Amino acid sequence: MATGSADTNIKVWDVRKKTCMQTYRDHASPVTKIVHSPDGRWIVSGDQQGFVKVWDLHAGKQIAELKAPGAVTDMDFHPNELLMALSSTGRQVQFFDMETFELVSTTPHEQGNVESILFTQDGEALLSASQGWLRLWGWEPVVNYDMVESTWPSLTSVAISPSNEFIGVAKQSNVVSIYLVELNETAVFNASKKKQVQQSPPQVQQPSHQQQQAQQQQQQQ
């Protein structure tokens, strides 16, 4: 198990022995997210300054560094390919080739921060959750297959159920709320609708000048 914290350190733990096996100290700001690669060879950590570091657990060292346009909010590995998606307060999702560590594509800016992302189980699309919206993306090239409006605030955890329901968990003060979105009618899970979308993909709604000013004021506060 790996953990990251506000002290900027990454720790790798032996759960059975309850001891720390390795500590990595190369981040300069609090660590906001950690994920394991599907094969268990790497851990990837992101911080508040947008730096993303790839660590080889066998070699015990950093092997690559990526950069996000804002504080890292979430990361997810593709289930079948050496591809990783990364979201941040830069209001975008980035896709990286994890064989070359090069940027593959970037989604358009959204109105708010992208808080959570998740590849579908078959790897056909990526789901991104921002405040009030769920979007389904392709990445090579970038295609917004579909979007669903919702009433949720910022989400802290997401998942897809066996019955193709998107599950979002939000926490405000001492209240935990669970939100469900039926995915079977979206373009990714509906083959005929997906074909139509590929011919004319939905456009991401861009914030107005007034909305951009309001977002900048909120970030300054």
Side-chain angles (χ1 to χ4, degrees):
M1 181 179 73
T3 60
S5 60
D7 67 2
T8 74
N9 292 332
I10 306 293
K11 293 182 180 292
V12 181
W13 300 85
D14 185 320
V15 178
R16 293 180 180 178
K17 296 181 180 179
K18 300 180 181 179
T19 57
C20 178
M21 301 168 55
Q22 182 75 43
T23 300
Y24 302 112
R25 297 185 173 89
D26 203 36
H27 279 285
S29 66
V31 177
T32 57
K33 186 68 179 182
I34 291 181
V35 293
H36 286 267
S37 62
D39 61 7
R41 293 181 57 190
W42 300 342
I43 56 172
V44 184
S45 56
D47 65 27
Q48 283 188 353
Q49 293 181 348
F51 289 99
V52 177
K53 300 178 185 295
V54 184
W55 310 89
D56 187 314
L57 293 176
H58 295 292
K61 64 180 182 179
Q62 179 184 326
I63 59 173
E65 182 178 88
L66 314 174
K67 186 66 172 71
V72 175
T73 56
D74 205 359
M75 298 181 286
D76 194 31
F77 273 92
H78 191 280
N80 306 315
E81 302 176 13
L82 276 174
L83 180 76
M84 189 186 76
L86 163 67
S87 64
S88 70
T89 56
R91 300 184 290 115
Q92 294 174 297
V93 178
Q94 297 169 287
F95 296 92
F96 287 92
D97 183 328
M98 297 304 284
E99 187 171 9
T100 62
F101 303 111
E102 294 182 353
L103 181 66
V104 174
S105 58
T106 303
T107 63
H109 284 92
E110 298 197 26
Q111 293 185 19
N113 296 335
V114 181
E115 301 290 348
S116 300
I117 56 175
L118 180 68
F119 280 104
T120 56
Q121 296 173 356
D122 59 5
E124 286 293 315
L126 180 94
L127 282 68
S128 70
S130 56
Q131 188 166 352
W133 288 96
L134 174 67
R135 303 183 194 276
L136 296 89
W137 298 99
W139 49 89
E140 208 170 9
V142 169
V143 177
N144 183 200
Y145 290 128
D146 212 342
M147 50 185 136
V148 180
E149 189 171 9
S150 181
T151 58
W152 61 52
S154 299
L155 299 179
T156 58
S157 183
V158 297
I160 299 176
S161 73
S163 58
N164 290 336
E165 286 182 317
F166 174 84
I167 305 171
V169 178
K171 179 183 177 183
Q172 290 183 305
S173 299
N174 295 323
V175 178
V176 176
S177 303
I178 298 177
Y179 298 83
L180 299 179
V181 176
E182 176 57 59
L183 297 175
N184 285 324
E185 294 304 316
T186 62
V188 172
F189 294 87
N190 186 315
S192 60
K193 189 174 181 182
K194 182 177 180 179
K195 185 176 180 180
Q196 295 174 359
V197 172
Q198 287 175 326
Q199 295 172 353
S200 181
Q203 298 299 312
V204 174
Q205 295 184 1
Q206 298 296 333
S208 66
H209 180 66
Q210 291 179 339
Q211 289 173 325
Q212 290 177 338
Q213 288 183 326
Q215 289 169 3
Q216 292 174 355
Q217 290 176 355
Q218 290 177 355
Q219 291 175 354
Q220 290 174 357
Q221 293 174 355

PDB file of all heavy atoms in Angstrom, residues 67-102:
ATOM      1  N   LYS A  67       3.345  16.953 -16.007  1.00  0.00           N
ATOM      2  CA  LYS A  67       2.886  18.237 -15.456  1.00  0.00           C
ATOM      3  C   LYS A  67       1.437  18.487 -15.838  1.00  0.00           C
ATOM      4  O   LYS A  67       1.043  18.358 -16.990  1.00  0.00           O
ATOM      5  CB  LYS A  67       3.762  19.381 -15.981  1.00  0.00           C
ATOM      6  CG  LYS A  67       3.449  20.734 -15.335  1.00  0.00           C
ATOM      7  CD  LYS A  67       3.796  20.749 -13.859  1.00  0.00           C
ATOM      8  CE  LYS A  67       3.669  22.132 -13.229  1.00  0.00           C
ATOM      9  NZ  LYS A  67       2.260  22.562 -13.093  1.00  0.00           N
ATOM     10  N   ALA A  68       0.639  18.848 -14.833  1.00  0.00           N
ATOM     11  CA  ALA A  68      -0.751  19.240 -15.013  1.00  0.00           C
ATOM     12  C   ALA A  68      -0.864  20.753 -14.898  1.00  0.00           C
ATOM     13  O   ALA A  68      -0.012  21.394 -14.271  1.00  0.00           O
ATOM     14  CB  ALA A  68      -1.637  18.564 -13.963  1.00  0.00           C
ATOM     15  N   PRO A  69      -1.928  21.363 -15.472  1.00  0.00           N
ATOM     16  CA  PRO A  69      -2.069  22.820 -15.412  1.00  0.00           C
ATOM     17  C   PRO A  69      -2.636  23.349 -14.099  1.00  0.00           C
ATOM     18  O   PRO A  69      -2.908  24.542 -13.980  1.00  0.00           O
ATOM     19  CB  PRO A  69      -3.038  23.107 -16.570  1.00  0.00           C
ATOM     20  CG  PRO A  69      -3.851  21.875 -16.681  1.00  0.00           C
ATOM     21  CD  PRO A  69      -2.931  20.747 -16.355  1.00  0.00           C
ATOM     22  N   GLY A  70      -2.791  22.486 -13.111  1.00  0.00           N
ATOM     23  CA  GLY A  70      -3.298  22.895 -11.808  1.00  0.00           C
ATOM     24  C   GLY A  70      -3.089  21.780 -10.809  1.00  0.00           C
ATOM     25  O   GLY A  70      -2.471  20.745 -11.110  1.00  0.00           O
ATOM     26  N   ALA A  71      -3.596  21.963  -9.601  1.00  0.00           N
ATOM     27  CA  ALA A  71      -3.479  20.928  -8.574  1.00  0.00           C
ATOM     28  C   ALA A  71      -4.140  19.642  -9.049  1.00  0.00           C
ATOM     29  O   ALA A  71      -5.254  19.664  -9.596  1.00  0.00           O
ATOM     30  CB  ALA A  71      -4.126  21.404  -7.274  1.00  0.00           C
ATOM     31  N   VAL A  72      -3.481  18.519  -8.852  1.00  0.00           N
ATOM     32  CA  VAL A  72      -3.995  17.232  -9.322  1.00  0.00           C
ATOM     33  C   VAL A  72      -5.183  16.809  -8.461  1.00  0.00           C
ATOM     34  O   VAL A  72      -5.107  16.786  -7.228  1.00  0.00           O
ATOM     35  CB  VAL A  72      -2.896  16.155  -9.268  1.00  0.00           C
ATOM     36  CG1 VAL A  72      -3.451  14.785  -9.647  1.00  0.00           C
ATOM     37  CG2 VAL A  72      -1.742  16.540 -10.187  1.00  0.00           C
ATOM     38  N   THR A  73      -6.304  16.484  -9.127  1.00  0.00           N
ATOM     39  CA  THR A  73      -7.504  16.049  -8.409  1.00  0.00           C
ATOM     40  C   THR A  73      -7.751  14.550  -8.524  1.00  0.00           C
ATOM     41  O   THR A  73      -8.299  13.942  -7.619  1.00  0.00           O
ATOM     42  CB  THR A  73      -8.746  16.790  -8.925  1.00  0.00           C
ATOM     43  OG1 THR A  73      -8.869  16.591 -10.344  1.00  0.00           O
ATOM     44  CG2 THR A  73      -8.635  18.288  -8.644  1.00  0.00           C
ATOM     45  N   ASP A  74      -7.342  13.943  -9.656  1.00  0.00           N
ATOM     46  CA  ASP A  74      -7.584  12.507  -9.816  1.00  0.00           C
ATOM     47  C   ASP A  74      -6.706  11.965 -10.937  1.00  0.00           C
ATOM     48  O   ASP A  74      -6.251  12.707 -11.816  1.00  0.00           O
ATOM     49  CB  ASP A  74      -9.055  12.238 -10.129  1.00  0.00           C
ATOM     50  CG  ASP A  74      -9.493  10.829  -9.722  1.00  0.00           C
ATOM     51  OD1 ASP A  74      -8.658  10.062  -9.213  1.00  0.00           O
ATOM     52  OD2 ASP A  74     -10.681  10.503  -9.908  1.00  0.00           O
ATOM     53  N   MET A  75      -6.490  10.658 -10.912  1.00  0.00           N
ATOM     54  CA  MET A  75      -5.753   9.949 -11.962  1.00  0.00           C
ATOM     55  C   MET A  75      -6.342   8.560 -12.093  1.00  0.00           C
ATOM     56  O   MET A  75      -6.857   7.995 -11.138  1.00  0.00           O
ATOM     57  CB  MET A  75      -4.261   9.844 -11.620  1.00  0.00           C
ATOM     58  CG  MET A  75      -3.544  11.179 -11.505  1.00  0.00           C
ATOM     59  SD  MET A  75      -1.773  10.999 -11.123  1.00  0.00           S
ATOM     60  CE  MET A  75      -1.849  10.536  -9.376  1.00  0.00           C
ATOM     61  N   ASP A  76      -6.274   8.007 -13.313  1.00  0.00           N
ATOM     62  CA  ASP A  76      -6.745   6.638 -13.513  1.00  0.00           C
ATOM     63  C   ASP A  76      -6.004   6.012 -14.685  1.00  0.00           C
ATOM     64  O   ASP A  76      -5.764   6.672 -15.706  1.00  0.00           O
ATOM     65  CB  ASP A  76      -8.252   6.611 -13.774  1.00  0.00           C
ATOM     66  CG  ASP A  76      -8.846   5.214 -13.647  1.00  0.00           C
ATOM     67  OD1 ASP A  76      -8.317   4.425 -12.830  1.00  0.00           O
ATOM     68  OD2 ASP A  76      -9.817   4.899 -14.355  1.00  0.00           O
ATOM     69  N   PHE A  77      -5.642   4.738 -14.544  1.00  0.00           N
ATOM     70  CA  PHE A  77      -4.989   3.991 -15.603  1.00  0.00           C
ATOM     71  C   PHE A  77      -6.035   3.297 -16.469  1.00  0.00           C
ATOM     72  O   PHE A  77      -7.047   2.795 -15.966  1.00  0.00           O
ATOM     73  CB  PHE A  77      -4.044   2.935 -15.024  1.00  0.00           C
ATOM     74  CG  PHE A  77      -2.660   3.437 -14.727  1.00  0.00           C
ATOM     75  CD1 PHE A  77      -2.351   3.925 -13.467  1.00  0.00           C
ATOM     76  CD2 PHE A  77      -1.670   3.401 -15.703  1.00  0.00           C
ATOM     77  CE1 PHE A  77      -1.072   4.377 -13.184  1.00  0.00           C
ATOM     78  CE2 PHE A  77      -0.397   3.850 -15.427  1.00  0.00           C
ATOM     79  CZ  PHE A  77      -0.092   4.339 -14.168  1.00  0.00           C
ATOM     80  N   HIS A  78      -5.762   3.256 -17.772  1.00  0.00           N
ATOM     81  CA  HIS A  78      -6.600   2.481 -18.690  1.00  0.00           C
ATOM     82  C   HIS A  78      -6.483   1.003 -18.331  1.00  0.00           C
ATOM     83  O   HIS A  78      -5.395   0.533 -17.987  1.00  0.00           O
ATOM     84  CB  HIS A  78      -6.138   2.723 -20.129  1.00  0.00           C
ATOM     85  CG  HIS A  78      -7.064   2.203 -21.163  1.00  0.00           C
ATOM     86  ND1 HIS A  78      -7.102   0.862 -21.523  1.00  0.00           N
ATOM     87  CD2 HIS A  78      -8.013   2.820 -21.917  1.00  0.00           C
ATOM     88  CE1 HIS A  78      -8.017   0.694 -22.466  1.00  0.00           C
ATOM     89  NE2 HIS A  78      -8.587   1.862 -22.723  1.00  0.00           N
ATOM     90  N   PRO A  79      -7.583   0.245 -18.384  1.00  0.00           N
ATOM     91  CA  PRO A  79      -7.528  -1.162 -17.959  1.00  0.00           C
ATOM     92  C   PRO A  79      -6.724  -2.073 -18.882  1.00  0.00           C
ATOM     93  O   PRO A  79      -6.267  -3.136 -18.451  1.00  0.00           O
ATOM     94  CB  PRO A  79      -9.001  -1.580 -17.942  1.00  0.00           C
ATOM     95  CG  PRO A  79      -9.682  -0.647 -18.887  1.00  0.00           C
ATOM     96  CD  PRO A  79      -8.951   0.659 -18.746  1.00  0.00           C
ATOM     97  N   ASN A  80      -6.518  -1.672 -20.147  1.00  0.00           N
ATOM     98  CA  ASN A  80      -5.878  -2.572 -21.110  1.00  0.00           C
ATOM     99  C   ASN A  80      -4.669  -1.989 -21.814  1.00  0.00           C
ATOM    100  O   ASN A  80      -3.949  -2.719 -22.486  1.00  0.00           O
ATOM    101  CB  ASN A  80      -6.899  -2.997 -22.185  1.00  0.00           C
ATOM    102  CG  ASN A  80      -8.161  -3.582 -21.584  1.00  0.00           C
ATOM    103  OD1 ASN A  80      -8.108  -4.399 -20.673  1.00  0.00           O
ATOM    104  ND2 ASN A  80      -9.311  -3.159 -22.091  1.00  0.00           N
ATOM    105  N   GLU A  81      -4.450  -0.691 -21.707  1.00  0.00           N
ATOM    106  CA  GLU A  81      -3.369  -0.038 -22.434  1.00  0.00           C
ATOM    107  C   GLU A  81      -2.474   0.750 -21.477  1.00  0.00           C
ATOM    108  O   GLU A  81      -2.878   1.073 -20.359  1.00  0.00           O
ATOM    109  CB  GLU A  81      -3.933   0.922 -23.490  1.00  0.00           C
ATOM    110  CG  GLU A  81      -4.842   0.261 -24.516  1.00  0.00           C
ATOM    111  CD  GLU A  81      -5.451   1.273 -25.465  1.00  0.00           C
ATOM    112  OE1 GLU A  81      -4.978   2.435 -25.476  1.00  0.00           O
ATOM    113  OE2 GLU A  81      -6.393   0.916 -26.191  1.00  0.00           O
ATOM    114  N   LEU A  82      -1.263   1.069 -21.952  1.00  0.00           N
ATOM    115  CA  LEU A  82      -0.358   1.912 -21.158  1.00  0.00           C
ATOM    116  C   LEU A  82      -0.748   3.369 -21.364  1.00  0.00           C
ATOM    117  O   LEU A  82      -0.054   4.162 -22.013  1.00  0.00           O
ATOM    118  CB  LEU A  82       1.092   1.673 -21.578  1.00  0.00           C
ATOM    119  CG  LEU A  82       1.787   0.486 -20.917  1.00  0.00           C
ATOM    120  CD1 LEU A  82       3.161   0.272 -21.530  1.00  0.00           C
ATOM    121  CD2 LEU A  82       1.915   0.708 -19.410  1.00  0.00           C
ATOM    122  N   LEU A  83      -1.895   3.722 -20.797  1.00  0.00           N
ATOM    123  CA  LEU A  83      -2.471   5.053 -20.926  1.00  0.00           C
ATOM    124  C   LEU A  83      -2.980   5.483 -19.562  1.00  0.00           C
ATOM    125  O   LEU A  83      -3.582   4.686 -18.830  1.00  0.00           O
ATOM    126  CB  LEU A  83      -3.622   5.030 -21.935  1.00  0.00           C
ATOM    127  CG  LEU A  83      -4.334   6.360 -22.188  1.00  0.00           C
ATOM    128  CD1 LEU A  83      -3.477   7.257 -23.079  1.00  0.00           C
ATOM    129  CD2 LEU A  83      -5.699   6.128 -22.837  1.00  0.00           C
ATOM    130  N   MET A  84      -2.741   6.731 -19.196  1.00  0.00           N
ATOM    131  CA  MET A  84      -3.232   7.257 -17.931  1.00  0.00           C
ATOM    132  C   MET A  84      -3.939   8.585 -18.165  1.00  0.00           C
ATOM    133  O   MET A  84      -3.479   9.418 -18.956  1.00  0.00           O
ATOM    134  CB  MET A  84      -2.096   7.462 -16.931  1.00  0.00           C
ATOM    135  CG  MET A  84      -2.578   7.799 -15.524  1.00  0.00           C
ATOM    136  SD  MET A  84      -1.238   8.199 -14.380  1.00  0.00           S
ATOM    137  CE  MET A  84      -0.808   9.864 -14.923  1.00  0.00           C
ATOM    138  N   ALA A  85      -5.068   8.760 -17.504  1.00  0.00           N
ATOM    139  CA  ALA A  85      -5.793  10.021 -17.542  1.00  0.00           C
ATOM    140  C   ALA A  85      -5.527  10.784 -16.260  1.00  0.00           C
ATOM    141  O   ALA A  85      -5.367  10.195 -15.181  1.00  0.00           O
ATOM    142  CB  ALA A  85      -7.284   9.776 -17.716  1.00  0.00           C
ATOM    143  N   LEU A  86      -5.487  12.106 -16.375  1.00  0.00           N
ATOM    144  CA  LEU A  86      -5.132  12.975 -15.259  1.00  0.00           C
ATOM    145  C   LEU A  86      -6.049  14.186 -15.269  1.00  0.00           C
ATOM    146  O   LEU A  86      -6.202  14.844 -16.294  1.00  0.00           O
ATOM    147  CB  LEU A  86      -3.669  13.403 -15.416  1.00  0.00           C
ATOM    148  CG  LEU A  86      -3.151  14.605 -14.629  1.00  0.00           C
ATOM    149  CD1 LEU A  86      -3.139  14.299 -13.146  1.00  0.00           C
ATOM    150  CD2 LEU A  86      -1.744  14.961 -15.106  1.00  0.00           C
ATOM    151  N   SER A  87      -6.675  14.482 -14.132  1.00  0.00           N
ATOM    152  CA  SER A  87      -7.509  15.681 -14.020  1.00  0.00           C
ATOM    153  C   SER A  87      -6.917  16.614 -12.972  1.00  0.00           C
ATOM    154  O   SER A  87      -6.174  16.194 -12.088  1.00  0.00           O
ATOM    155  CB  SER A  87      -8.954  15.319 -13.643  1.00  0.00           C
ATOM    156  OG  SER A  87      -9.016  14.713 -12.364  1.00  0.00           O
ATOM    157  N   SER A  88      -7.284  17.905 -13.095  1.00  0.00           N
ATOM    158  CA  SER A  88      -6.701  18.891 -12.197  1.00  0.00           C
ATOM    159  C   SER A  88      -7.612  20.097 -12.081  1.00  0.00           C
ATOM    160  O   SER A  88      -8.652  20.186 -12.742  1.00  0.00           O
ATOM    161  CB  SER A  88      -5.322  19.332 -12.726  1.00  0.00           C
ATOM    162  OG  SER A  88      -5.487  20.115 -13.899  1.00  0.00           O
ATOM    163  N   THR A  89      -7.195  21.042 -11.250  1.00  0.00           N
ATOM    164  CA  THR A  89      -7.942  22.296 -11.126  1.00  0.00           C
ATOM    165  C   THR A  89      -7.746  23.175 -12.352  1.00  0.00           C
ATOM    166  O   THR A  89      -8.291  24.275 -12.410  1.00  0.00           O
ATOM    167  CB  THR A  89      -7.511  23.060  -9.859  1.00  0.00           C
ATOM    168  OG1 THR A  89      -6.087  23.280  -9.903  1.00  0.00           O
ATOM    169  CG2 THR A  89      -7.867  22.287  -8.602  1.00  0.00           C
ATOM    170  N   GLY A  90      -7.001  22.703 -13.327  1.00  0.00           N
ATOM    171  CA  GLY A  90      -6.882  23.391 -14.606  1.00  0.00           C
ATOM    172  C   GLY A  90      -8.104  23.207 -15.481  1.00  0.00           C
ATOM    173  O   GLY A  90      -8.132  23.695 -16.612  1.00  0.00           O
ATOM    174  N   ARG A  91      -9.127  22.487 -14.962  1.00  0.00           N
ATOM    175  CA  ARG A  91     -10.421  22.314 -15.616  1.00  0.00           C
ATOM    176  C   ARG A  91     -10.333  21.512 -16.909  1.00  0.00           C
ATOM    177  O   ARG A  91     -11.131  21.673 -17.819  1.00  0.00           O
ATOM    178  CB  ARG A  91     -11.091  23.670 -15.882  1.00  0.00           C
ATOM    179  CG  ARG A  91     -11.340  24.479 -14.612  1.00  0.00           C
ATOM    180  CD  ARG A  91     -12.094  25.770 -14.873  1.00  0.00           C
ATOM    181  NE  ARG A  91     -11.279  26.744 -15.578  1.00  0.00           N
ATOM    182  CZ  ARG A  91     -11.541  27.185 -16.807  1.00  0.00           C
ATOM    183  NH1 ARG A  91     -12.596  26.745 -17.466  1.00  0.00           N
ATOM    184  NH2 ARG A  91     -10.768  28.087 -17.365  1.00  0.00           N
ATOM    185  N   GLN A  92      -9.371  20.611 -16.986  1.00  0.00           N
ATOM    186  CA  GLN A  92      -9.188  19.757 -18.160  1.00  0.00           C
ATOM    187  C   GLN A  92      -8.842  18.343 -17.722  1.00  0.00           C
ATOM    188  O   GLN A  92      -8.475  18.103 -16.574  1.00  0.00           O
ATOM    189  CB  GLN A  92      -8.047  20.282 -19.039  1.00  0.00           C
ATOM    190  CG  GLN A  92      -8.295  21.617 -19.692  1.00  0.00           C
ATOM    191  CD  GLN A  92      -7.052  22.100 -20.419  1.00  0.00           C
ATOM    192  OE1 GLN A  92      -6.006  22.349 -19.803  1.00  0.00           O
ATOM    193  NE2 GLN A  92      -7.141  22.228 -21.734  1.00  0.00           N
ATOM    194  N   VAL A  93      -8.923  17.412 -18.683  1.00  0.00           N
ATOM    195  CA  VAL A  93      -8.411  16.059 -18.503  1.00  0.00           C
ATOM    196  C   VAL A  93      -7.290  15.862 -19.521  1.00  0.00           C
ATOM    197  O   VAL A  93      -7.445  16.172 -20.701  1.00  0.00           O
ATOM    198  CB  VAL A  93      -9.498  14.992 -18.716  1.00  0.00           C
ATOM    199  CG1 VAL A  93      -8.896  13.589 -18.570  1.00  0.00           C
ATOM    200  CG2 VAL A  93     -10.638  15.181 -17.730  1.00  0.00           C
ATOM    201  N   GLN A  94      -6.152  15.369 -19.054  1.00  0.00           N
ATOM    202  CA  GLN A  94      -5.026  15.074 -19.931  1.00  0.00           C
ATOM    203  C   GLN A  94      -4.860  13.564 -20.041  1.00  0.00           C
ATOM    204  O   GLN A  94      -5.067  12.829 -19.072  1.00  0.00           O
ATOM    205  CB  GLN A  94      -3.733  15.680 -19.381  1.00  0.00           C
ATOM    206  CG  GLN A  94      -3.742  17.203 -19.288  1.00  0.00           C
ATOM    207  CD  GLN A  94      -2.546  17.708 -18.496  1.00  0.00           C
ATOM    208  OE1 GLN A  94      -2.508  17.572 -17.272  1.00  0.00           O
ATOM    209  NE2 GLN A  94      -1.569  18.283 -19.185  1.00  0.00           N
ATOM    210  N   PHE A  95      -4.459  13.109 -21.236  1.00  0.00           N
ATOM    211  CA  PHE A  95      -4.196  11.688 -21.473  1.00  0.00           C
ATOM    212  C   PHE A  95      -2.726  11.524 -21.812  1.00  0.00           C
ATOM    213  O   PHE A  95      -2.212  12.185 -22.719  1.00  0.00           O
ATOM    214  CB  PHE A  95      -5.067  11.162 -22.619  1.00  0.00           C
ATOM    215  CG  PHE A  95      -6.543  11.209 -22.329  1.00  0.00           C
ATOM    216  CD1 PHE A  95      -7.297  12.316 -22.689  1.00  0.00           C
ATOM    217  CD2 PHE A  95      -7.178  10.145 -21.695  1.00  0.00           C
ATOM    218  CE1 PHE A  95      -8.651  12.364 -22.423  1.00  0.00           C
ATOM    219  CE2 PHE A  95      -8.537  10.188 -21.428  1.00  0.00           C
ATOM    220  CZ  PHE A  95      -9.277  11.294 -21.795  1.00  0.00           C
ATOM    221  N   PHE A  96      -2.039  10.622 -21.075  1.00  0.00           N
ATOM    222  CA  PHE A  96      -0.606  10.416 -21.264  1.00  0.00           C
ATOM    223  C   PHE A  96      -0.323   8.982 -21.697  1.00  0.00           C
ATOM    224  O   PHE A  96      -0.887   8.027 -21.145  1.00  0.00           O
ATOM    225  CB  PHE A  96       0.157  10.691 -19.966  1.00  0.00           C
ATOM    226  CG  PHE A  96       0.254  12.143 -19.608  1.00  0.00           C
ATOM    227  CD1 PHE A  96      -0.685  12.740 -18.788  1.00  0.00           C
ATOM    228  CD2 PHE A  96       1.292  12.916 -20.104  1.00  0.00           C
ATOM    229  CE1 PHE A  96      -0.600  14.075 -18.451  1.00  0.00           C
ATOM    230  CE2 PHE A  96       1.395  14.259 -19.770  1.00  0.00           C
ATOM    231  CZ  PHE A  96       0.444  14.850 -18.948  1.00  0.00           C
ATOM    232  N   ASP A  97       0.570   8.848 -22.683  1.00  0.00           N
ATOM    233  CA  ASP A  97       1.106   7.548 -23.072  1.00  0.00           C
ATOM    234  C   ASP A  97       2.144   7.168 -22.013  1.00  0.00           C
ATOM    235  O   ASP A  97       3.185   7.821 -21.893  1.00  0.00           O
ATOM    236  CB  ASP A  97       1.758   7.658 -24.457  1.00  0.00           C
ATOM    237  CG  ASP A  97       2.284   6.327 -24.972  1.00  0.00           C
ATOM    238  OD1 ASP A  97       2.723   5.491 -24.157  1.00  0.00           O
ATOM    239  OD2 ASP A  97       2.282   6.132 -26.197  1.00  0.00           O
ATOM    240  N   MET A  98       1.888   6.113 -21.265  1.00  0.00           N
ATOM    241  CA  MET A  98       2.778   5.761 -20.160  1.00  0.00           C
ATOM    242  C   MET A  98       3.934   4.859 -20.580  1.00  0.00           C
ATOM    243  O   MET A  98       4.694   4.390 -19.744  1.00  0.00           O
ATOM    244  CB  MET A  98       1.969   5.108 -19.037  1.00  0.00           C
ATOM    245  CG  MET A  98       0.936   6.049 -18.426  1.00  0.00           C
ATOM    246  SD  MET A  98       1.661   7.597 -17.805  1.00  0.00           S
ATOM    247  CE  MET A  98       2.414   6.999 -16.284  1.00  0.00           C
ATOM    248  N   GLU A  99       4.057   4.646 -21.883  1.00  0.00           N
ATOM    249  CA  GLU A  99       5.246   3.976 -22.405  1.00  0.00           C
ATOM    250  C   GLU A  99       6.317   5.008 -22.743  1.00  0.00           C
ATOM    251  O   GLU A  99       7.499   4.802 -22.480  1.00  0.00           O
ATOM    252  CB  GLU A  99       4.895   3.152 -23.638  1.00  0.00           C
ATOM    253  CG  GLU A  99       6.037   2.294 -24.144  1.00  0.00           C
ATOM    254  CD  GLU A  99       5.607   1.328 -25.236  1.00  0.00           C
ATOM    255  OE1 GLU A  99       4.468   1.435 -25.728  1.00  0.00           O
ATOM    256  OE2 GLU A  99       6.425   0.452 -25.587  1.00  0.00           O
ATOM    257  N   THR A 100       5.871   6.129 -23.304  1.00  0.00           N
ATOM    258  CA  THR A 100       6.807   7.207 -23.668  1.00  0.00           C
ATOM    259  C   THR A 100       6.720   8.393 -22.708  1.00  0.00           C
ATOM    260  O   THR A 100       7.567   9.286 -22.758  1.00  0.00           O
ATOM    261  CB  THR A 100       6.501   7.712 -25.081  1.00  0.00           C
ATOM    262  OG1 THR A 100       5.164   8.264 -25.110  1.00  0.00           O
ATOM    263  CG2 THR A 100       6.583   6.579 -26.094  1.00  0.00           C
ATOM    264  N   PHE A 101       5.668   8.416 -21.857  1.00  0.00           N
ATOM    265  CA  PHE A 101       5.389   9.508 -20.915  1.00  0.00           C
ATOM    266  C   PHE A 101       5.117  10.827 -21.641  1.00  0.00           C
ATOM    267  O   PHE A 101       5.395  11.905 -21.118  1.00  0.00           O
ATOM    268  CB  PHE A 101       6.526   9.669 -19.897  1.00  0.00           C
ATOM    269  CG  PHE A 101       6.806   8.418 -19.121  1.00  0.00           C
ATOM    270  CD1 PHE A 101       7.983   7.716 -19.309  1.00  0.00           C
ATOM    271  CD2 PHE A 101       5.867   7.916 -18.229  1.00  0.00           C
ATOM    272  CE1 PHE A 101       8.234   6.552 -18.600  1.00  0.00           C
ATOM    273  CE2 PHE A 101       6.112   6.747 -17.521  1.00  0.00           C
ATOM    274  CZ  PHE A 101       7.296   6.060 -17.712  1.00  0.00           C
ATOM    275  N   GLU A 102       4.567  10.732 -22.847  1.00  0.00           N
ATOM    276  CA  GLU A 102       4.232  11.919 -23.624  1.00  0.00           C
ATOM    277  C   GLU A 102       2.729  12.184 -23.586  1.00  0.00           C
ATOM    278  O   GLU A 102       1.917  11.254 -23.440  1.00  0.00           O
ATOM    279  CB  GLU A 102       4.694  11.753 -25.073  1.00  0.00           C
ATOM    280  CG  GLU A 102       6.206  11.684 -25.233  1.00  0.00           C
ATOM    281  CD  GLU A 102       6.625  11.572 -26.686  1.00  0.00           C
ATOM    282  OE1 GLU A 102       5.733  11.414 -27.552  1.00  0.00           O
ATOM    283  OE2 GLU A 102       7.836  11.615 -26.961  1.00  0.00           O
TER     284      GLU A 102
END
